[in-house]
Amino acid sequence: SMNGGAYQAGNTFNTQAGTFTITIKDVNNCTANTVINVTQPSAIAFTNSSFVSPLCYGLSNGSITINATGGTGMLAYSINPNANQPTAGNFTGLSAQVYTITATDVNNCTVTTIINVTQPPLLVLNTTERTFIGGNNISCNGAQDGCIDATVSGGTAPYTYSWTGPGGYNSTNEDICNLFAGLYILTATDANGCEVFKAVTLTEPDPLAGSLAPSFFNGGWNIGCNGDSTGFITLTVTGGTSGYEFIWSTTDTTQDIFNLPAGGYNVLVTDPNGCEFRDSISLYE
């Protein structure tokens, strides 16, 4: 019997680790005792574990380093979901997800641990462009007053910026101003070398232009009779941004002017963004 338990004919006892007293009895109830210490391997336990996140969102260049002790013989490690098999508990080429790591000894005793490999947030780039009345990003044709405001989030700060644009334009500022119309491309890079791109096209209005057409009477004169005030001037305007204002040398503010005597006339046309067009004409009698 073992530890005062029931007697059995067989000489094998299944037991856990511990110290046990074995009693042997013959048919005359003569007995003898012996003490046996049953040992066991130390428990397998993870002593340290760490992970390195992928450098950029969505990449698979993260890693896990893990170590365990105990058990019998050399421990082997496996990972689920499957990844590159480790060298001394180092798994590489990992994407961001939850992994189960198993340590197994030569007797197939196992222990597991859970490691959640995280990743930086997605690197995001947004831009806001200056917009003038009429919807263009430049006030007047050929002007240099565009601006682009860039905002970067996610990834790993700090960020660096590289702009290219028309005519060899380049800048390393986050936000840029004093721009002509055209295509601008921003490359934003975070501290881990992750990149995001944005192309922005700044638009401009057509040139503000116009033409003056005088009145004509028989004989080709602009005034019907000498000394009369029967002339008129018709103004046609194109380009710029609609909503024009007119100032004539006559102080008129209408687009076309009438009841004019012979003489010289000039006009200033201004659109809502301050673009200007000037022209002059003479009426003959």
Side-chain angles (χ1 to χ4, degrees):
S1 71
M2 182 174 67
N3 281 2
Y7 284 93
Q8 64 180 42
N11 63 351
T12 299
F13 298 89
N14 293 323
T15 181
Q16 296 178 335
T19 300
F20 301 92
T21 300
I22 307 298
T23 302
I24 305 170
K25 179 178 72 170
D26 68 5
V27 293
N28 292 325
N29 288 325
C30 303
T31 62
N33 296 328
T34 186
V35 176
I36 296 177
N37 183 28
V38 177
T39 62
Q40 66 178 344
S42 59
I44 302 173
F46 289 101
T47 55
N48 61 73
S49 60
S50 62
F51 70 87
V52 176
S53 294
L55 291 177
C56 308
Y57 181 91
L59 292 187
S60 296
N61 54 7
S63 64
I64 292 175
T65 300
I66 195 160
N67 289 293
T69 58
T72 303
M74 182 176 294
L75 296 175
Y77 302 91
S78 63
I79 188 170
N80 186 41
N82 289 334
N84 297 339
Q85 289 305 304
T87 301
N90 183 37
F91 296 90
T92 60
L94 304 183
S95 60
Q97 57 183 310
V98 177
Y99 294 92
T100 301
I101 311 294
T102 302
T104 305
D105 72 1
V106 295
N107 291 327
N108 286 325
C109 305
T110 63
V111 67
T112 61
T113 189
I114 302 295
I115 296 180
N116 181 20
V117 175
T118 61
Q119 64 183 339
L122 181 66
L123 187 61
V124 176
L125 168 59
N126 291 301
T127 59
T128 302
E129 298 75 52
R130 174 184 288 175
T131 302
F132 290 89
I133 297 171
N136 285 301
N137 309 117
I138 307 296
S139 61
C140 304
N141 187 274
Q144 191 179 355
D145 55 8
C147 283
I148 304 174
D149 181 4
T151 302
V152 178
S153 60
T156 305
Y159 313 112
T160 58
Y161 308 89
S162 176
W163 286 97
T164 60
Y169 177 87
N170 61 79
S171 174
T172 57
N173 294 327
E174 179 180 4
D175 305 322
I176 54 176
C177 272
N178 303 317
L179 306 176
F180 290 107
L183 174 65
Y184 294 84
I185 298 175
L186 170 60
T187 302
T189 306
D190 76 357
N192 289 338
C194 314
E195 292 182 338
V196 64
F197 307 91
K198 184 73 179 289
V200 180
T201 299
L202 300 185
T203 61
E204 64 183 346
D206 293 333
L208 182 61
S211 61
L212 299 175
S215 53
F216 282 104
F217 289 87
N218 292 331
W221 302 105
N222 307 121
I223 308 298
C225 303
N226 185 279
D228 282 354
S229 297
T230 53
F232 58 88
I233 302 171
T234 302
L235 170 59
T236 302
V237 181
T238 60
T241 303
S242 61
Y244 312 116
E245 294 183 354
F246 312 95
I247 299 178
W248 291 89
S249 51
T250 60
T251 71
D252 289 300
T253 56
T254 57
Q255 182 166 350
D256 305 325
I257 55 176
F258 302 90
N259 303 317
L260 305 176
Y265 298 88
N266 57 67
V267 65
L268 169 62
V269 181
T270 306
D271 78 0
N273 291 319
C275 312
E276 293 183 346
F277 164 75
R278 299 174 185 270
D279 203 358
S280 61
I281 195 172
S282 293
L283 302 182
Y284 297 95
E285 66 182 351

